[in-house]
Amino acid sequence: KWRDAADKIGEEGAARIRGGLERNEVLTTLDLNFCYIRAECAAAIAEALRGNGVLTNLDIEINDIGPGGAEAIAEALQGNEVLKSLNLWDNSIGDEGAKALASALRVNEVLQSINLEYNNLGDEGKGAIRDAVSGRVGFELEM
């Protein structure tokens, strides 16, 4: 895990992590909880997810990626073929971010678990996510 080294990484640190993830061939779990990650930072991480072939667990818990960061991650998920678990607990993604993630979940068949608790989700966002994963046997959804 990079958690200790990544504590309070901010925008600049996330951009550096992006570069590392793009070259990564061994790291399967990345835990970046409570690292002051915002939308721009999440977009850099999302960009790295597009080409990463080994990262299976991503934890961005307790940050503030907002709807923009969720949208960037959603775009990356549409082409990612290895990520199995995504934790976005407490990131203020709201209904807009949830709807973007729902679109990605409709096409991404690899992700097996997502945590969206404490994200200011209303009925619209929750409904979109539930619809996107309905019928997926064994899918773990936390909202």
Side-chain angles (χ1 to χ4, degrees):
K1 287 186 182 186
W2 288 0
R3 184 174 191 269
D4 294 335
D7 189 33
K8 300 179 185 175
I9 59 168
E11 303 295 331
E12 184 179 332
R16 289 182 182 174
I17 286 175
R18 172 188 171 192
L21 284 177
E22 288 173 340
R23 294 182 301 276
N24 172 46
E25 296 178 2
V26 295
L27 184 71
T28 58
T29 297
L30 181 58
D31 184 343
L32 295 172
N33 67 45
F34 201 56
C35 289
Y36 303 97
I37 295 173
R38 305 291 184 261
E40 181 180 306
C41 198
I45 293 168
E47 187 61 34
L49 280 178
R50 293 178 196 270
N52 185 285
V54 295
L55 192 69
T56 57
N57 303 291
L58 178 59
D59 182 347
I60 310 178
E61 175 181 321
I62 313 172
N63 284 287
D64 192 20
I65 67 169
E71 290 168 7
I73 289 171
E75 286 179 30
L77 285 177
Q78 291 182 23
N80 184 283
E81 298 176 351
V82 295
L83 193 69
K84 294 180 182 180
S85 176
L86 177 60
N87 183 356
L88 296 176
W89 188 86
D90 195 11
N91 267 285
S92 304
I93 68 168
D95 285 343
E96 293 306 309
K99 288 189 287 186
L101 288 167
S103 293
L105 290 171
R106 286 186 191 94
V107 297
N108 179 308
E109 297 177 358
V110 178
L111 198 71
Q112 299 169 352
S113 126
I114 191 166
N115 186 333
L116 299 173
E117 292 180 293
Y118 297 99
N119 271 294
N120 305 319
L121 301 183
D123 292 338
E124 186 178 10
K126 288 179 181 179
I129 294 288
R130 282 191 190 106
D131 289 347
V133 299
S134 69
R136 290 179 63 171
V137 177
F139 191 90
E140 295 178 28
L141 173 61
E142 296 180 66
M143 285 194 294

